[in-house]
Amino acid sequence: MKGSFRLFLYLASLLLLARCSSNQNTVTADIFHNTTAHFNGYFYAREKTREVEKAILKSLDDDPNQILRLYPKLDTNLAKTYRKDTEEIIKMASISIQRHPNSKWLDDNYLLVGLARLYDCNFPDAIQTFKYVNTKSHDANLRHQALVHLVRTFTEQGEYDKAEEAFQFLEKEKLSPSNAKSLHLEKAYYYQVRSDYDNMVRSLTTADSLLTGADRKGRIYFIIGQVYQKLGFGSEAYNYYRKCLSTNPDYEIDFYARLNMAQVARLDNSKNVKTIRNQFAKLLKDTKNQEFKDKIYYELGEFERKQGNVQEAIVQYKLSAHAGKNKRIQGSAYLRIGQLNFDSLKRFSLAKAYYDSALKSLPTEFENYVSIKKRHEILGEFVKYTETIQWQDSLLWMATLDSTALRNHIDSLFTPKLVVEEGGKKKKKRKTEGGGSAVGQNSSLFQTESTSTTDWYFDNAAAIASGQQEFQRIWGDIKLEDNWRRSTKSATVPGGQVLTQNGAPENNEPTKTEKNEMPKANPADDAYKKILPDLPKSEKQKSASLAKIEESYFKLGDLYYFQLNEKDNAESSYNILLKRFPSTSYKPEVLYKLYLIHKERGDGQAESIAQVLQSEFPNSTYSKILLNPNYLKEASVAQEKQKMIYKEAYEAFQKNNLRLAQELIANARAVGETAFTSQLDLLQILITGKTEDVTRYQFELETFIKKYPDQPIHLYAETLLASSKTFVEKSERAKGIRFSAVFDEPHYFVIVHNIQDRASTSLATALDMFNQEQYRSRRLETTNLIFNEVYALTFVGNFGGKTDAIEYFDRFNRQLKDLPPFSVLNFHTFVITKENFNIFYRNKALDEYLSFFDRYYQKETP
């Protein structure tokens, strides 16, 4: 009886469920569809979404030396690793949407579809989905969630105006605590991407009270502390680092929070200073911090630098550079030493050496990398001029000595070095015999700069940089391996016998010459031989040497004045120049700059300098500027008139009305000689290029280049000349290249792009997605190939014939060309037969095939 009743219930249930179609609105149908939609499609899609989010979080490559990212940056390479999961999310959510369109989980499923598209970097479809939820959903909470995700999507896509518009709208809405928290975090991420740290920290602190344990509060507090520290609010930074520690964060975050607390702690007296030093000592002694020693030493150097202990700071920075393998920390340490040597110790050559080492270690995305590189370039010029002055002065002085006095002087320079080297050898020998440590407490690691340059090689950045450059010059980027210098590698077998590659024993017996070690050459002899030919003995040589010193003082003053903005040092260089070279050709300009320096100070000397300038150089441009501040403006009237005529002449040139263009150029020249005259001359040469033979055109370009060596347009003329010569060469070469005009065979679609753009992967990915969407049935394949030293190829094949290839070419230009990554690159596109591709690739005939393509294909494209 019981079995029959159960069977009856089972059949009744089946009948009931069968009546619950997707379009019914009965209570029973609603319960069925809501339950099924939630616990089938939506549940599995949500779980997959959480798995994808965990995978994205794992991709975070945190560098606590920089402000941590709130969220990982989404990119197509990362998306490939979890693409199957995002496709599964869309599939499960879509099934739920299709089978249960009236369930209350419909909008939730759409939201998951949007998230899957966002994580898959399909930003256009993600935006469309989130907008749909915002428009169609009757649940305010879900609409707000969609808009929050829309903010993130716009931020990732770089559409910052739209992202700001979206969160400004949300700020006016009444949000749930969860959505309010998400909005503040998304705003903080938006401001972080825009490097607006002030608004970033405002958003994070607003979200603080809404955070839960699932939000990784410790990491967010650490980021807030970092931002406050960057903005200069040490007290606030300290408080948030303490809050971070109270959450028991990961060990690395815990370590850096404690380290940063030491940086921002208030130091009101010597007792506090001592306390901080003790904290650093404890961190160094803790065995758990072994891998962080480079960072600890660096921060200790920062601490000592802030206390004004320059030499002690340099010691700590050096220890940091050699304590670990973190290139960023090593580069930062070298950078600090370079800055201190330049700003505080005035050791310019040494500063440049450390800047060299810093740039080799620091990644290009390092903060202020561009300005650091610019400072390094300026420093290179700075060292060049200071060393020129020192060396030429030394040569002039040594030229006054007789040969005996000169030799004695050179010997005296090398004697201390030889004594130090000999003493070092004896010291090393004693330590070896006594079994002592190679580096003790009194090692040169702990010495000042002056001793380290002669004693400890790896403590001398100049020596290391020089050694690295010399090694690379001789050996190149050789792989680090055993017996790396041998062309025929050898191996050591048990017993100590060395075998060559062919298995024969290697003869390691020393020769008689090796047994009788040759005595070392005296370095003073080499120096004497090198210096002797450079000594300025004749009057002509002395004048040339003095001219180098004169120019160096002027250039040095300009570097101080314009590049480094150090007016006092600029004044000193200019005054030395005028004192040593009273008749220098730079005098009018130098006097004018000194006038500006003293006028800015308001010390009363500006007027006397102006009088000297006007009395000695009344016709100079600088004197005229003093008399009439509008002189340059008035002098530019003629130039502006020439520019107006030039515009008409250039338009006539573009329309191939060459006679009118020549007449207008003649009218412009009649106005007079101005700084713009060179532009008129070059336009006349371009007309010559159209009316005369190529030999005449190239001759006039060469004449122009010699006539205007210092003007910026000089470089453009050189480019024109080089292009003309290249064109002639290629025209000659093209006579031997013949492409086939048979097009009824397989074709490729080809993109030629610059290797330096490193865009091969991103282009191939974009084309694969395009092919998947538009040509799924054709199974097109995308391939990358190096073309030559300048260009790489990304091509799609195989197309059945010319018609299919041209159709793909046109669709690419309409739909894909103006979207990232293509929109930010310069490239060539064309289609080509398989036979012609072989000819094109073998001869590297890019220009020749582009001409062929224009002739046989382009006329058919709409």
Side-chain angles (χ1 to χ4, degrees):
M1 185 67 180
K2 289 183 179 179
S4 300
F5 182 69
R6 288 176 181 173
L7 179 62
F8 170 77
L9 290 177
Y10 176 72
L11 293 174
S13 299
L14 285 178
L15 289 172
L16 180 64
L17 294 177
R19 294 176 60 85
C20 293
S21 70
S22 61
N23 296 320
Q24 284 188 345
N25 293 320
T26 64
V27 174
T28 307
D30 288 345
I31 294 173
F32 169 74
H33 289 298
N34 288 334
T35 304
T36 309
H38 179 239
F39 290 105
N40 285 343
Y42 174 76
F43 176 81
Y44 289 113
R46 185 186 62 188
E47 292 303 305
K48 278 292 180 185
T49 302
R50 289 172 178 172
E51 290 178 15
V52 169
E53 289 171 345
K54 287 179 181 178
I56 294 172
L57 282 177
K58 284 183 181 179
S59 71
L60 267 173
D61 185 17
D62 282 342
D63 177 13
N65 300 298
Q66 305 294 320
I67 295 175
L68 301 185
R69 290 182 67 93
L70 271 173
Y71 301 121
K73 181 171 177 57
L74 301 177
D75 62 68
T76 53
N77 291 326
L78 175 63
K80 285 180 180 179
T81 63
Y82 52 73
R83 181 151 295 157
K84 289 183 179 179
D85 290 332
T86 54
E87 289 174 353
E88 185 69 14
I89 293 168
I90 295 173
K91 176 183 174 182
M92 297 304 298
S94 298
I95 290 173
S96 182
I97 291 169
Q98 292 166 4
R99 295 182 180 177
H100 313 287
N102 294 324
S103 77
K104 67 179 182 180
W105 297 98
L106 180 69
D107 296 334
D108 299 79
N109 280 298
Y110 272 117
L111 205 61
L112 292 180
V113 171
L115 280 174
R117 288 170 172 171
L118 168 61
Y119 296 148
D120 199 35
C121 297
N122 184 359
F123 300 129
D125 286 348
I127 291 170
Q128 185 178 1
T129 307
F130 292 137
K131 285 183 176 180
Y132 177 84
V133 175
N134 178 54
T135 306
K136 299 295 184 180
S137 178
H138 299 292
D139 186 338
N141 191 47
L142 280 177
R143 291 201 305 272
H144 295 156
Q145 285 185 47
L147 288 176
V148 169
H149 295 317
L150 198 59
V151 172
R152 174 73 178 279
T153 310
F154 283 138
T155 302
E156 292 290 350
Q157 198 175 19
E159 296 188 26
Y160 302 120
D161 292 339
K162 292 182 179 179
E164 193 167 350
E165 184 180 343
F167 69 66
Q168 284 177 352
F169 172 81
L170 279 170
E171 287 173 342
K172 300 173 184 177
E173 295 285 297
K174 185 177 181 180
L175 305 178
S176 67
S178 176
N179 283 337
K181 174 190 68 178
S182 298
L183 174 60
H184 294 312
L185 292 177
E186 291 294 352
K187 281 177 59 182
Y189 179 66
Y190 164 85
Y191 287 123
Q192 183 177 32
V193 172
R194 303 296 303 277
S195 298
D196 185 351
Y197 295 111
D198 185 35
N199 279 314
M200 176 188 176
V201 80
R202 290 172 188 267
S203 297
L204 287 176
T205 52
T206 305
D208 183 3
S209 61
L210 301 170
L211 296 175
T212 63
D215 297 313
R216 299 193 298 171
K217 293 171 69 173
R219 191 172 189 278
I220 293 178
Y221 289 151
F222 181 77
I223 294 173
I224 296 175
Q226 284 184 305
V227 178
Y228 270 131
Q229 185 175 355
K230 181 180 180 66
L231 296 175
F233 298 100
S235 178
E236 293 296 329
Y238 187 89
N239 291 335
Y240 272 97
Y241 286 137
R242 288 191 64 179
K243 289 184 72 173
C244 168
L245 294 177
S246 69
T247 64
N248 193 26
D250 295 340
Y251 180 75
E252 188 174 17
I253 296 293
D254 182 285
F255 167 76
Y256 278 96
R258 295 180 189 277
L259 203 60
N260 292 351
M261 284 175 68
Q263 294 178 30
V264 298
R266 292 186 61 181
L267 303 175
D268 297 326
N269 51 50
S270 58
K271 184 178 179 181
N272 290 340
V273 172
K274 186 177 180 180
T275 301
I276 296 299
R277 287 198 178 112
N278 289 337
Q279 290 178 3
F280 277 113
K282 288 179 182 178
L283 288 171
L284 287 169
K285 288 180 181 178
D286 192 337
T287 56
K288 295 195 298 294
N289 296 334
Q290 186 66 32
E291 63 178 296
F292 300 119
K293 274 193 171 183
D294 52 353
K295 179 63 176 176
I296 299 172
Y297 280 126
Y298 179 82
E299 295 302 337
L300 184 51
E302 289 284 272
F303 174 77
E304 295 296 350
R305 179 180 64 85
K306 292 173 183 177
Q307 307 311 307
N309 304 324
V310 174
Q311 293 293 354
E312 182 60 28
I314 289 177
V315 169
Q316 301 304 328
Y317 289 135
K318 288 178 180 177
L319 290 171
S320 171
H322 299 294
K325 297 181 180 180
N326 188 311
K327 287 291 184 181
R328 185 183 289 269
I329 296 176
Q330 186 183 63
S332 299
Y334 284 140
L335 178 62
R336 279 289 189 234
I337 299 173
Q339 291 170 340
L340 290 176
N341 273 294
F342 185 88
D343 297 325
S344 302
L345 303 177
K346 305 299 180 185
R347 295 171 178 169
F348 305 119
S349 298
L350 204 55
K352 182 183 181 299
Y354 278 110
Y355 266 88
D356 287 339
S357 299
L359 285 175
K360 288 178 182 177
S361 298
L362 292 174
T364 53
E365 66 271 14
F366 186 80
E367 187 177 9
N368 296 324
Y369 182 87
V370 174
S371 60
I372 292 169
K373 190 173 182 180
K374 183 179 179 182
R375 177 74 175 255
H376 170 255
E377 292 169 356
I378 295 170
L379 197 54
E381 289 188 65
F382 195 91
V383 171
K384 170 187 169 184
Y385 298 133
T386 54
E387 289 184 348
T388 296
I389 293 170
Q390 293 169 359
W391 180 239
Q392 294 301 325
D393 274 336
S394 298
L395 289 176
L396 287 168
W397 177 78
M398 287 188 288
T400 63
L401 304 177
D402 57 40
S403 58
T404 304
L406 176 62
R407 183 54 198 255
N408 290 337
H409 172 67
I410 293 174
D411 287 341
S412 68
L413 294 176
F414 282 89
T415 300
K417 183 177 180 181
L418 292 172
V419 171
V420 169
E421 288 178 352
E422 196 63 32
K425 289 178 182 178
K426 291 179 180 178
K427 183 178 179 181
K428 182 177 180 182
K429 184 177 180 182
R430 287 197 302 270
K431 285 191 175 184
T432 304
E433 292 172 352
S437 172
V439 180
Q441 184 63 28
N442 294 323
S443 164
S444 57
L445 271 173
F446 299 90
Q447 301 296 317
T448 61
E449 196 69 56
S450 58
T451 60
S452 65
T453 55
T454 59
D455 208 359
W456 176 243
Y457 171 81
F458 289 104
D459 209 23
N460 187 341
I464 292 173
S466 176
Q468 289 173 340
Q469 291 171 1
E470 183 68 9
F471 181 89
Q472 291 177 355
R473 182 184 67 79
I474 297 173
W475 298 101
D477 294 328
I478 195 167
K479 183 180 179 182
L480 180 63
E481 58 184 3
D482 292 338
N483 305 308
W484 56 269
R485 287 183 291 185
R486 297 171 183 249
S487 58
T488 302
K489 307 298 181 190
S490 59
T492 303
V493 297
Q497 178 65 58
V498 177
L499 302 178
T500 61
Q501 284 183 342
N502 59 15
E506 184 178 58
N507 184 12
N508 288 326
E509 287 296 319
T511 63
K512 290 182 179 180
T513 306
E514 290 171 333
K515 289 180 179 178
N516 302 321
E517 187 177 335
M518 297 293 292
K520 282 190 175 180
N522 187 349
D525 291 339
D526 294 336
Y528 181 76
K529 292 176 184 178
K530 290 179 180 178
I531 289 173
L532 205 57
D534 293 336
L535 294 178
K537 295 289 187 180
S538 66
E539 289 301 320
K540 184 177 180 181
Q541 290 173 330
K542 290 179 181 177
S543 298
S545 184
L546 288 169
K548 291 178 182 178
I549 297 172
E550 178 183 355
E551 181 188 22
S552 294
Y553 273 119
F554 176 75
K555 297 287 188 182
L556 200 58
D558 279 359
L559 280 177
Y560 275 126
Y561 189 86
F562 295 108
Q563 302 291 343
L564 301 177
N565 197 28
E566 298 179 8
K567 304 296 175 61
D568 292 343
N569 287 327
E571 180 188 9
S572 175
S573 295
Y574 290 144
N575 283 331
I576 294 172
L577 171 63
L578 295 179
K579 185 176 181 180
R580 289 193 62 176
F581 306 96
S583 302
T584 176
S585 59
Y586 299 115
K587 191 171 183 178
E589 186 175 350
V590 168
L591 287 173
Y592 181 71
K593 289 171 183 173
L594 288 173
Y595 164 80
L596 294 177
I597 290 172
H598 287 283
K599 184 179 180 182
E600 184 178 341
R601 287 183 192 161
D603 56 10
Q605 295 186 39
E607 291 303 320
S608 59
I609 294 173
Q611 290 176 4
V612 173
L613 176 58
Q614 291 170 353
S615 61
E616 294 187 18
F617 306 97
N619 296 321
S620 71
T621 301
Y622 302 100
S623 293
K624 292 176 180 178
I625 293 173
L626 286 178
L627 292 172
N628 179 14
N630 295 322
Y631 169 75
L632 291 177
K633 183 178 180 180
E634 293 173 359
S636 68
V637 172
Q639 183 173 318
E640 292 300 321
K641 187 174 182 180
Q642 284 185 334
K643 287 181 179 180
M644 293 174 64
I645 301 174
Y646 174 86
K647 184 178 179 182
E648 296 179 31
Y650 189 76
E651 289 175 354
F653 170 77
Q654 287 184 311
K655 295 175 181 177
N656 212 33
N657 191 347
L658 303 182
R659 184 181 297 278
L660 175 59
Q662 287 179 314
E663 291 175 359
L664 290 168
I665 291 173
N667 293 339
R669 282 174 170 166
V671 174
E673 189 81 14
T674 71
F676 194 73
T677 303
S678 59
Q679 298 277 6
L680 300 171
D681 291 348
L682 187 58
L683 182 56
Q684 180 61 56
I685 294 173
L686 293 178
I687 294 173
T688 300
K690 287 195 172 187
T691 57
E692 305 285 346
D693 62 86
V694 69
T695 305
R696 176 57 182 257
Y697 172 66
Q698 291 181 359
F699 171 77
E700 291 198 6
L701 279 173
E702 289 171 348
T703 305
F704 178 90
I705 291 168
K706 293 177 183 177
K707 184 178 179 182
Y708 300 104
D710 299 324
Q711 293 197 18
I713 199 172
H714 167 95
L715 297 175
Y716 179 59
E718 287 183 333
T719 303
L720 290 175
L721 181 60
S723 299
S724 177
K725 291 180 177 179
T726 302
F727 175 77
V728 172
E729 292 173 3
K730 288 183 177 179
S731 298
E732 293 296 324
R733 187 163 62 91
K735 294 176 182 178
I737 300 175
R738 293 288 184 270
F739 290 103
S740 171
V742 177
F743 305 112
D744 188 19
E745 61 174 282
H747 276 64
Y748 298 123
F749 168 76
V750 182
I751 300 177
V752 184
H753 50 93
N754 201 302
I755 288 178
Q756 291 183 348
D757 292 335
R758 298 180 180 178
S760 295
T761 302
S762 60
L763 293 182
T765 302
L767 287 173
D768 283 338
M769 292 176 65
F770 179 72
N771 295 339
Q772 189 69 13
E773 293 175 1
Q774 304 286 341
Y775 299 92
R776 183 186 296 269
S777 61
R778 293 195 185 182
R779 297 183 180 179
L780 300 176
E781 295 181 359
T782 306
T783 308
N784 288 319
L785 185 66
I786 298 297
F787 182 63
N788 55 24
E789 294 180 354
V790 179
Y791 293 111
L793 307 178
T794 299
F795 57 96
V796 179
N798 290 318
F799 295 98
K802 180 179 179 181
T803 303
D804 291 342
I806 286 293
E807 187 273 336
Y808 186 92
F809 176 84
D810 293 339
R811 184 172 293 190
F812 170 88
N813 285 330
R814 290 195 307 270
Q815 298 183 16
L816 212 58
K817 184 178 180 181
D818 295 327
L819 298 177
F822 303 95
S823 60
V824 297
L825 299 173
N826 291 320
F827 56 87
H828 301 287
T829 54
F830 52 81
V831 297
I832 186 170
T833 65
K834 196 170 185 179
E835 179 184 351
N836 284 339
F837 183 86
N838 293 331
I839 300 171
F840 158 79
Y841 186 78
R842 184 173 59 252
N843 293 281
K844 310 302 180 190
L846 175 60
D847 294 327
E848 292 80 1
Y849 185 77
L850 289 175
S851 299
F852 179 87
F853 176 74
D854 288 340
R855 188 182 316 122
Y856 289 98
Y857 288 89
Q858 287 286 64
K859 63 184 180 181
E860 298 182 15
T861 60

